[in-house]
């Protein structure tokens, strides 16, 4: 029965928001849309929740953002124009303010995007109920004053689109950045990092307090196992939980996390929800192209014979605590993911200590009368202590290390010391804002 299924689907979305109560009346919420099934279903739920016919309407003010990733996904300029025009048509039909962005614009982000903003009080009033009552009274006063709608205007931010394609210089720089990455797994991580930072910057500049993403239960279960294999086990609670408050001033919420991919597919089919499917990252491998795709095929294959596989993995992740991901100060926070540094020594720690003690790296760390030596801030070894274990693995693929030709004694063992190419790698391929923030931290 499609009617019962629709009521069930709507109730699940509303119950997820009502149970957590992190989105307060009148707050501006940015919906991060990819055009895929989950984010399109999320947009439809928000549209219906804000309509006049809804019994209990949603009380936040939505905005939309779509990030075009056509360049790194192998699309031609004509294909990018076509998909962007189709997506813009869908966004215009909603009547909400929307923002179109290109992944190339992530290269122009300020270094402050890698610093958590000042934490704001999540409750504008003494309690959620009092905030709702105050919002209703405010709406009634507006209705009596000018006869307006019962909801705040969603057109406070003008809906506009940037130029159709970014400048050629940015396009070439982003293409060079992804070509420098050797493994598809690192490309997936880099793409996710750039997209997240770009959405976060848009939310900060446009005044949005919350960001909604359309990650489903199936996608989060895949992400949970993927992050385990990538060395991010300590941060699973913030990477897959309902709330991710690492940015500080902007909170990321995942209201679609209770839906499976099958439920979303049925909903979109029954109620004709339009979607725009983006192609995957190009790869020359037909099998096991990346860890992300390998885990996805593994879980979906198990799901066919054991229907409770996805829900079991997902429910296990719900029991994890976000405490290990929290950091007290900047020196204990990862440069890229803003999580706590979960490294104490290890292989990278030994390289760092050897470089300082034996002179393999310390020779490039000397300061001058004018300030820190530029070789220090542009060396790979100087970046390592700023990253958590999972980000170090990604960084290792972004800036590939060369072989070793010297050895040094560490206790009773001979340990190879990286040679000069370790310090002369292609750090220029890293995004400029990452290098700028790393230099600031190193100089401190």
């Amino acid at each position: 029965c499609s009617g019962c299924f629709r009521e069930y689907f709507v109730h699940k979305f509303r119950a997820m928001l009502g149970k957590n109560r992190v989105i307060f009346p009148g707050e501006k919420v940015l919906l991060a849309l990819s055009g895929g099934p989950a984010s399109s279903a999320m947009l439809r739920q928000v549209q219906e929740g804000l309509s006049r016919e809804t019994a209990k309407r949603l009380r936040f003010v939505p905005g939309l953002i779509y990030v075009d990733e056509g360049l790194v996904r192998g699309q031609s300029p004509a294909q990018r124009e076509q998909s962007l025009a189709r997506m813009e048509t869908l966004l215009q039909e909603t009547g909400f303010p929307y923002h179109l962005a290109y992944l190339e614009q992530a290269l122009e982000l300020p270094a402050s995007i890698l610093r958590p903003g000042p934490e704001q009080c999540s409750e504008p009033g003494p309690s959620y109920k009092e905030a709702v009552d105050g919002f209703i009274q405010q709406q009634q006063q507006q209705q009596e004053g000018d006869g307006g709608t019962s909801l705040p205007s969603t057109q406070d931010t003008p809906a506009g689109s940037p130029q159709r394609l970014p400048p050629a210089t940015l396009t070439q720089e982003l293409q060079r950045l992804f070509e420098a990455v050797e493994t598809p797994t690192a490309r997936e991580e880099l793409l996710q990092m750039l997209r997240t930072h770009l959405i976060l910057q848009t939310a900060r500049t446009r005044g949005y307090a919350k960001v909604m993403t359309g990650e489903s239960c199936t996608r989060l279960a895949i992400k949970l196992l993927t992050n385990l294999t990538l060395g991010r086990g300590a941060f699973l609670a913030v990477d897959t939980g309902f709330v991710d408050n690492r940015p500080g001033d902007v909170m990321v919420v995942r209201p679609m996390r209770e839906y499976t991919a099958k439920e979303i597919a049925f909903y979109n089919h029954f109620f004709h929800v339009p979607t725009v499917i983006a192609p995957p990252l190009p790869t020359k491998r037909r099998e096991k192209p990346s860890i992300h795709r390998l885990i996805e095929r593994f879980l979906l294959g198990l799901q066919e014979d054991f229907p409770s596989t996805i829900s079991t993995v997902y429910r296990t992740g719900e029991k994890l605590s976000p405490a290990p991901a929290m950091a007290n100060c900047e020196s204990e926070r990862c440069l890229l993911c803003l999580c706590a540094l979960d490294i104490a020594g290890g292989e990278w720690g030994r390289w760092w200590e050897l470089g300082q003690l034996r002179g393999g790296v310390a020779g490039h760390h000397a300061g001058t009368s004018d300030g820190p030596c530029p070789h220090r801030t542009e060396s790979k070894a100087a970046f390592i202590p700023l990253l958590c274990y999972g980000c170090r693995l990604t960084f290792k693929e972004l800036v590939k290390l060369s072989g070793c030709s010297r050895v040094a004694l560490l206790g009773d063992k001979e340990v190879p010391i990286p040679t000069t190419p370790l310090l002369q790698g292609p750090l220029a391929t890293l995004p400029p804002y990452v290098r700028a923030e790393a230099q600031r931290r190193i100089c401190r």
Side-chain angles (χ1 to χ4, degrees):
C1 174
S2 61
C4 295
F5 176 70
R6 180 171 187 166
E7 292 181 2
Y8 154 80
F9 202 92
V10 172
H11 170 74
K12 212 172 190 180
F13 182 83
R14 303 291 292 273
M16 174 62 67
L17 295 179
K19 178 177 65 175
N20 292 275
R21 290 189 173 182
V22 296
I23 299 179
F24 282 74
E27 280 189 321
K28 296 180 65 177
V29 180
L30 184 64
L31 278 66
L33 303 178
S34 64
S39 64
S40 300
M42 178 182 67
L43 176 59
R44 175 63 64 88
Q45 292 300 303
V46 173
Q47 285 181 278
E48 294 182 355
L50 291 171
S51 64
R52 294 178 180 272
E53 293 76 15
T54 305
K56 294 183 178 180
R57 286 173 293 198
L58 300 176
R59 299 185 177 95
F60 58 84
V61 182
L64 312 176
I65 181 173
Y66 172 73
V67 180
D68 175 67
E69 306 166 358
L71 176 67
V72 299
R73 295 188 180 277
Q75 291 183 324
S76 64
Q79 292 173 332
R80 295 180 66 184
E81 290 276 2
Q82 183 179 3
S83 61
L84 186 63
R86 182 181 176 188
M87 193 66 194
E88 187 173 7
T89 301
L90 297 178
L91 297 180
Q92 288 176 347
E93 292 175 354
T94 64
F96 301 146
Y98 64 91
H99 314 282
L100 299 178
Y102 297 96
L103 193 65
E104 291 91 329
Q105 295 174 345
L107 301 179
E108 298 180 327
L109 292 176
S112 59
I113 197 65
L114 298 175
R115 308 169 204 161
E119 294 189 5
Q120 301 176 354
C121 181
S122 60
E123 298 184 359
S127 66
Y128 184 84
K129 185 178 183 302
E130 292 182 5
V132 173
D133 294 339
F135 178 80
I136 294 177
Q137 292 178 3
Q138 180 184 0
Q139 293 305 108
Q140 290 176 351
Q141 293 175 359
Q142 291 181 358
Q143 250 184 331
E144 294 173 357
D146 54 9
T149 60
S150 61
L151 284 174
S153 173
T154 58
Q155 297 297 333
D156 294 338
T157 304
S161 61
Q163 57 181 347
R164 278 303 175 186
L165 288 179
T169 54
L170 285 180
T171 301
Q172 295 172 1
E173 186 176 354
L174 182 66
Q175 191 170 8
R176 185 170 62 251
L177 171 61
F178 275 83
E179 288 176 353
V181 183
E182 296 193 357
T183 63
T185 300
R187 290 194 194 99
E188 296 270 4
E189 290 295 303
L190 177 61
L191 174 59
Q192 181 180 352
M193 180 189 72
L194 294 179
R195 183 199 307 121
T196 302
H197 292 166
L198 186 56
I199 293 174
L200 177 58
Q201 177 65 14
T202 304
R204 284 179 174 176
T205 56
R206 301 286 181 171
Y208 291 94
K210 305 289 190 302
V211 173
M212 271 190 188
T213 60
E215 293 156 299
S216 63
C217 170
T218 305
R219 182 56 52 193
L220 290 179
I222 296 171
K223 188 175 183 180
L224 190 145
L225 289 188
T226 302
N227 285 6
L228 280 176
T229 61
L230 295 177
R232 297 187 55 83
F235 315 136
L236 293 179
V238 294
D239 286 338
T240 62
F242 177 77
V243 173
D244 183 359
N245 203 22
R246 280 175 292 178
D249 55 342
V250 178
M251 180 183 295
V252 179
V253 295
R254 304 180 178 96
M256 301 294 292
R257 65 192 307 268
E258 289 285 343
Y259 298 97
T260 63
K262 187 175 182 179
E263 290 174 337
I264 294 174
F266 273 117
Y267 178 81
N268 292 347
H269 174 71
F270 287 151
F271 305 108
H272 310 288
V273 178
T275 59
V276 179
I277 304 298
L281 289 178
T283 176
K284 297 180 180 179
R285 299 182 182 181
R286 296 185 178 180
E287 296 182 359
K288 304 177 183 179
S290 66
I291 292 179
H292 304 76
R293 299 290 172 251
L294 178 63
I295 296 296
E296 181 178 357
R297 294 178 184 176
F298 170 71
L299 276 182
L300 295 182
L302 281 180
Q303 181 75 5
E304 294 180 1
D305 298 327
F306 304 96
S308 62
T309 299
I310 296 294
S311 61
T312 301
V313 176
Y314 168 75
R315 298 298 175 191
T316 304
E318 279 191 327
K319 302 175 183 178
L320 301 175
S321 171
M326 299 297 109
N328 297 324
C329 59
E330 183 183 86
S331 60
E332 299 177 0
R333 187 178 292 112
C334 177
L335 174 68
L336 299 181
C337 67
L338 302 182
C339 288
L341 294 178
D342 56 346
I343 284 289
E347 177 186 0
W348 291 105
R350 288 199 300 270
W351 292 129
W352 179 251
E353 294 173 1
L354 278 174
Q356 289 183 324
L357 295 177
R358 300 286 180 177
V361 178
H364 295 268
H365 285 189
T368 64
S369 59
D370 297 330
C373 178
H375 294 290
R376 173 187 178 187
T377 58
E378 288 294 338
S379 66
K380 297 177 185 177
F383 276 66
I384 298 303
L386 307 177
L387 306 175
C388 65
Y389 180 73
C391 291
R392 291 181 186 191
L393 296 181
T394 303
F395 179 78
K396 178 182 176 182
E397 300 299 334
L398 292 179
V399 187
K400 196 66 176 177
L401 301 181
S402 61
C404 300
S405 59
R406 293 193 298 156
V407 296
L409 292 177
L410 183 63
D412 299 332
K413 298 181 180 180
E414 291 187 352
V415 180
I417 297 179
T419 54
T420 304
L422 173 65
L423 306 175
Q424 298 177 350
L427 284 180
T429 59
L430 292 176
Y433 69 95
V434 175
R435 299 201 309 270
E437 177 63 14
Q439 292 171 4
R440 187 188 70 87
R441 293 195 186 184
I442 292 170
C443 292
R444 292 186 63 182

